[in-house]
Each structure stands twice: as C-alpha cells, then as structure tokens.
Amino acid sequence: MKNLSVYILIAVSALLLSFLGAMANVETKISANNNKKLVCYYFASGLLQVTEIDPFLCTHLIFAFAMFKHGKLTEVSPSDIKLFGQMANLKLKNPALKVMLSVQNGFSELVNSDDATIKKFYNQAIHYLREYRFDGIDLDWEFPRANEKEKYSRFLKGFRDAIINHSQNSLRPQLLLTAALPNNVRKLQNYDIDTLNSTLDFATVMAYDFHMFIKNADITTGFNSPLFPPANEKKIYSTVGLMDYYLNTGFSSSKLLVGLPTYGRTWKLKTAENHGVHAPAVNKGDPGPVIHRRGVFTYPEVCSALKNGSHYVWDSEAEVPYLYNDLLWCSFEDPESAANKAKYFLQKCGGVGVWTITFDDAEGKYSNDSQKFPIITAVKKVLMGADNKDSSPVSQPVL
C-alpha cells in the first residue's frame, strides 16, 4: 500500500507539472505579443459557424450585432442567443480570449432619452452582458449628428462610471467599453476626442471603404483600403493618412487600432480595355459565388476570381492589390498587404481590428500552404513578432 501511495503521488505530481507546463506555454503565447490586440469582428451569415473559430486566433472576438431598443440592450434575433453561448464557450479553450458584443442600431433614441431611462439602461446592459458571459461592449454608432455630440459624451461617461461601480460592488473585472470609429474625418468632428480617450478601453478606426461605386458620386475604380494614397488622391483617403489624423488629435496611440478588411470592393468597368486605377465604371461589380452580393467580394471570392483567370496587380504606390477580368474590377486585401499594414503600425498603435473574420478563408482552401484564415494569420504573425524574425513569405492565394 505504501508503494502504491508513492506511485499515486508521483503520477499526480507528473500531471500537475504537465498542467503547469501547458499553462506556461499559453502565457508565453499571450505575453509574446507585447500587449498588441488583434480584434476580430464576427457576424452570423452561414459562411462561418462560431464553433469553427480558432479560439487562439484573435485576442478579442466581437459578435456583430446587437441593438438598443426601447432603452434596453437586446439581441437582433432570438437565434443569436445560442451563438452568444457558443462564443462564450470558446473561452473554455482559451481563457485569455475576450468575447464582446457590438451594437450598431438604436443609439440616437437612447442617448436622447431622459436621465432616468439612461440610468436604467446602464444597469440592464451590464446585467445582460454578464448573463451571456461577454467581457464587454463595442459601440458602432454610424454616426452621431452634431447636436448629439454632447449627449453622447455624457452617455459614455455615465456608462464608464456604471461599469466601474458594478465591478467594485461585484468584485468582478471591469467590462470593456470599446468603439468603432469612422473613416471620414468630418464625421469624427461629432465625437469628443477627450471623452473617447477617457472612457474607451480601445477603438478600431474603420480604415476601409475609402472607395466604393456610388452612382453620381464615386464612379471610377479606387482602392477600398490603401496603405498609402495613390496618385492624385488626398492622403486622408488612405490608412496612413487617416491614422495620422487620429493620432494628431491627441487620441492615445495605445488605444487606437488600425482597421483592415478581409473583403474587396468591386466595380463593373465601362470598358474592358480601361482597367487601371481610376478607370470609369458604370455600376457595382456583379455578385460573386459565395455571398451573391453586388459590389462586394469575400476573400474566397477574390481567390476564386484569380483562379478563374482574373489578372492580379500589385500597386507598389498604395501597397495593396487589385484584380481585373473583362468588366470586373476589384480592390481587395490579401495576406501580404495585411501584413504590411500590421508592420507599418506595429509601433504606432495598439493593434489591429479586422472586419470581418467571417469573410476570411476559414478553411484554407485558397492558400498554397492551406493556411486557415490566411489574412488574419498574416497579421497575427506580425503582432506576435514571428513575421519580423524570419523571411518566410505569408500565405499567397492559389492562382
């Protein structure tokens, strides 16, 4: 019996050491990124199930979207509740993962409500987030009007105070309060920068949709999300120009995340012969085979177009690619351009925000090395330092 006890003690000790070793490896992965954030937005569309998401891919995973309705935070659809649970369960595999809920609609009604309604909202929203095991809330108001600037500031300050008070009273970690911010500097004027700085944990600058086909307004091809501005365009219509503008406002650099897309914007060219940047277009591009939506390609749709004969062009000035084929023209992000952006801003801001994990190549069907989520993975390598230590190429699409 004594020998048996010794064997049991040895076995338990071995298991404990194994567990501690595993936890040490997890901690190494977490701490190696120097606190840089990789924030991935997810929305349910049938393209990607929550259960298919790698819980170690992103530091923060944000469900898009919930809404404000009648002074309360609520789901858009009853079916979202099941997805909330699945997303929270990802933290069982990666306890360091933060899972959040993004809100897009209902802001104006709420912030223009009386003080009593707003105070009730704070309490209800905090309990709603706790009930569904979210770690915070992301505010994606597109966008406040000039006469709502002061009211929104009061709303944010009150929300932050309520979060702090709840944390102190419940002895639980504070919920995160974050936001997505516009790519248009005129719209940014309707936010109070000092309030954003003091109340938000971080904010993703939506540095995309600089160009898309808009009848009678934007009728030539242009880059969706260039790193640098192409010829004859203002610097502000580029990721560098927009981020510099934000930084020059005094916004805390550690709280700013550079936003990048996993989708492309498409145009229908006026003539197949004129297919360069700023070429005349007559409409949004025809729908692709995945989401069947005019004017938008997911990354798998981009890769399919390339595989089916579209011409790939790397624009060395803007440092992003585009493709063309007959009357199709598409500006898109790929692993190389995404990695370049992450490298450029590595020391300038707090990380990267991605719209959206749903539009990346989840299965790795379209990269030479079968890399799942190739765009987001390319960014992660940079943020974690891996892509800065070796010269191995990022995943490229199969052409």
Side-chain angles (χ1 to χ4, degrees):
M1 290 296 293
K2 184 177 179 180
N3 290 337
L4 179 60
S5 298
V6 171
Y7 291 141
I8 292 175
L9 180 60
I10 292 173
V12 170
S13 299
L15 287 172
L16 180 59
L17 288 172
S18 176
F19 173 78
L20 292 174
M23 291 305 294
N25 289 335
V26 170
E27 181 62 29
T28 299
K29 291 180 180 179
I30 295 166
S31 61
N33 67 1
N34 299 316
N35 295 319
K36 297 297 181 181
K37 298 174 181 65
L38 178 51
V39 176
C40 301
Y41 285 84
Y42 168 86
F43 74 96
S45 65
L47 299 180
L48 175 67
Q49 302 301 315
V50 173
T51 52
E52 296 171 337
I53 298 174
D54 176 0
F56 293 93
L57 181 62
C58 309
T59 62
H60 298 67
L61 193 61
I62 303 182
F63 185 96
F65 292 101
M67 64 179 176
F68 298 141
K69 186 175 182 180
H70 305 315
K72 294 183 178 181
L73 173 62
T74 187
E75 63 277 5
V76 173
S77 168
S79 61
D80 290 342
I81 298 297
K82 180 180 179 181
L83 302 181
F84 292 174
Q86 291 176 344
M87 189 168 284
N89 284 341
L90 293 176
K91 294 188 290 183
L92 299 176
K93 296 180 179 179
N94 179 13
L97 176 68
K98 301 298 182 184
V99 172
M100 301 176 63
L101 184 62
S102 185
V103 183
Q104 191 172 62
N105 294 322
F107 282 91
S108 190
E109 177 188 349
L110 180 59
V111 302
N112 284 288
S113 300
D114 58 74
D115 290 345
T117 298
I118 293 177
K119 287 181 180 179
K120 287 182 180 178
F121 161 78
Y122 294 149
N123 183 64
Q124 181 271 334
I126 289 170
H127 282 86
Y128 186 92
L129 294 168
R130 292 298 193 193
E131 178 182 359
Y132 295 110
R133 294 180 288 158
F134 286 109
D135 298 297
I137 187 168
D138 180 73
L139 308 176
D140 187 14
W141 190 359
E142 301 181 13
F143 299 97
R145 297 187 294 265
N147 63 357
E148 294 172 322
K149 181 175 182 177
E150 185 176 344
K151 293 179 180 178
Y152 191 39
S153 293
R154 287 203 303 268
F155 172 82
L156 288 172
K157 291 174 182 177
F159 206 172
R160 169 55 69 190
D161 288 343
I163 287 172
I164 292 172
N165 290 335
H166 170 78
S167 175
Q168 292 174 343
N169 294 332
S170 65
L171 301 179
R172 300 178 69 178
Q174 285 187 32
L175 292 167
L176 296 171
L177 182 61
T178 69
L181 297 177
N183 70 355
N184 186 316
V185 297
R186 292 191 303 273
K187 293 175 180 176
L188 182 61
Q189 295 173 1
N190 295 337
Y191 298 83
D192 182 78
I193 298 298
D194 289 339
T195 299
L196 296 178
N197 251 331
S198 63
T199 59
L200 299 179
D201 291 288
F202 61 81
T204 300
V205 179
M206 295 185 286
Y208 36 81
D209 290 344
F210 287 110
H211 288 291
M212 65 183 81
F213 181 88
I214 303 175
K215 189 176 181 180
N216 300 323
D218 200 349
I219 57 173
T220 61
T221 60
F223 291 116
N224 178 35
S225 182
L227 178 55
F228 299 104
N232 303 318
E233 287 199 25
K234 294 180 179 179
K235 184 180 177 182
I236 200 66
Y237 297 115
S238 70
T239 304
V240 165
L242 183 65
M243 295 301 294
D244 282 350
Y245 185 93
Y246 270 87
L247 291 168
N248 288 335
T249 66
F251 209 117
S252 173
S253 60
S254 63
K255 290 187 175 185
L256 276 181
L257 309 184
V258 57
L260 63 81
T262 57
Y263 64 92
R265 288 287 180 183
T266 66
W267 283 255
K268 188 172 186 177
L269 296 170
K270 186 175 182 179
T271 65
E273 293 73 25
N274 193 352
H275 48 66
V277 182
H278 303 141
V282 296
N283 207 336
K284 295 178 180 180
D286 291 339
V290 177
I291 59 171
H292 309 288
R293 180 176 169 186
R294 280 190 172 277
V296 177
F297 269 7
T298 63
Y299 187 58
E301 286 173 316
V302 166
C303 294
S304 291
L306 290 170
K307 190 175 181 179
N308 292 327
S310 292
H311 302 278
Y312 176 100
V313 180
W314 176 265
D315 189 285
S316 58
E317 191 171 42
E319 292 202 15
V320 286
Y322 68 89
L323 65 81
Y324 67 91
N325 188 7
D326 194 16
L327 297 180
L328 168 67
W329 198 94
C330 178
S331 166
F332 61 96
E333 198 85 65
D334 68 4
E336 182 178 0
S337 63
N340 285 348
K341 286 180 180 177
K343 289 175 185 177
Y344 186 90
F345 290 102
L346 186 61
Q347 304 302 328
K348 294 175 179 287
C349 62
V352 174
V354 179
W355 181 267
T356 156
I357 191 173
T358 309
F359 284 169
D360 203 348
D361 179 11
E363 298 180 5
K365 287 183 177 180
Y366 297 99
S367 60
N368 285 321
D369 56 1
S370 300
Q371 174 65 63
K372 295 182 178 181
F373 301 105
I375 294 177
I376 297 174
T377 300
V379 171
K380 181 179 180 180
K381 286 181 179 179
V382 174
L383 298 184
M384 295 291 291
D387 197 52
N388 302 321
K389 296 177 181 178
D390 60 60
S391 57
S392 57
V394 295
S395 300
Q396 294 297 321
V398 177
L399 303 183

